[in-house]
Amino acid sequence: AKIIETVENICPIFNLTTKYNVKGSLVFPVYDEKTDSIKCAYAEEFKALESHAGKFTQVSLGGFLVGALTKISKSLINNATFDVVAYIISKVSLAIARFLEKECLLGTGSSACQGVLVGATQKVTAAAATAITADEIIDMQLKVPQQYQDDASWIVNVDTLGALRKLKDKEGDYLLTKDLTQGFGFLLLGKPVYLSDNMPKIGAKAKPIVYGDFSGLYSNLRPGIEMQMLNEMYADEHAVGVVSWYEVDTKVIETQKVAVLEMAAV
């Protein structure tokens, strides 16, 4: 439980996902109206209505095995003036958090978790390869329907946030705030901004910004994260091992909840 708490505190996007802890595979029906949808129209007496409907598809969440192993010198444990084992466990937890954050953002979905940058189907394409405009940010926010805006947020690299804060109008005033004495804070168009080193920087074909309600990304951590102390295995090395195992999968199930900005090719 403590490891899970650490992971959630360090990794906001994983904490914001719709989380499951289920053995086996989860199957979700997804209603798709790309090719057809239910239509309501004026009708005539004695004339049959024409049937229209979207298509149901299935998306499944399984689990990909992930592990981490580290060894600690027994001499260090015996002679240190602080709790070395507790410190190493916290560092393993941090490694788990970083891995989960990276996969939630960048996971390819091919024999691996699917991240929001890969699974998002709503996209705004920037006019330039190396610059973002305020209009493009507004267009991104409007991609997400109003009913999903309450819990929406942004995730960007710190360099991207810097570029957004420096956007100016023709008079040279900053667009995000007219009064520098009030500071920028971590809000963009009224929504929280989370920083991640795993987010791509601004560049050709990169996706430097993702926005939305990240409960649209589903995660299955089955049945949870386990951690063990290996006291005997490395006794001949005068060392103690710490090993962690877990199975996880993520996918964007509710695609309307998230949108990405993709930079131009050139």
Side-chain angles (χ1 to χ4, degrees), residues 114-242:
Q114 183 194 74
V116 287
L117 295 188
V118 174
T121 58
Q122 300 186 122
K123 181 175 66 174
V124 171
T125 303
T130 57
I132 300 171
T133 67
D135 287 352
E136 289 161 353
I137 301 303
I138 293 170
D139 289 342
M140 261 195 82
Q141 189 173 56
L142 293 177
K143 283 285 185 181
V144 176
Q146 185 176 7
Q147 61 264 38
Y148 302 135
Q149 292 284 348
D150 287 348
D151 296 319
S153 56
W154 307 84
I155 300 180
V156 297
N157 185 285
V158 65
D159 292 345
T160 303
L161 181 59
L164 295 174
R165 285 178 171 175
K166 293 172 186 175
L167 289 174
K168 298 178 182 179
D169 60 22
K170 293 179 180 179
E171 285 71 42
D173 292 327
Y174 290 102
L175 292 174
L176 298 190
T177 177
K178 292 292 185 182
D179 186 358
L180 288 180
T181 63
Q182 298 300 314
F184 289 100
F186 283 86
L187 291 176
L188 181 60
L189 298 180
K191 299 300 178 182
V193 178
Y194 294 112
L195 298 178
S196 171
D197 291 339
N198 284 313
M199 282 295 290
K201 295 183 179 182
I202 297 172
K205 296 296 288 180
K207 296 176 180 177
I209 306 176
V210 60
Y211 173 78
D213 178 349
F214 296 108
S215 66
L217 178 68
Y218 285 28
S219 63
N220 187 26
L221 195 62
R222 61 182 195 193
I225 298 175
E226 66 176 63
M227 189 173 289
Q228 294 176 319
M229 298 296 300
L230 306 177
N231 293 306
E232 303 297 333
M233 182 172 290
Y234 302 107
D236 60 342
E237 300 179 29
H238 201 245
V240 173
V242 179

Side-chain angles (χ1 to χ4, degrees), residues 72 77 82-91 229 240 242:
I72 315 168
I77 295 172
F82 67 98
D83 192 341
V84 175
V85 174
Y87 177 77
I88 292 299
I89 288 174
S90 71
K91 297 301 285 185
M229 298 296 300
V240 173
V242 179

Side-chain angles (χ1 to χ4, degrees), residues 73-84:
S73 161
K74 277 194 173 182
S75 293
L76 178 62
I77 295 172
N78 294 335
N79 293 290
T81 57
F82 67 98
D83 192 341
V84 175

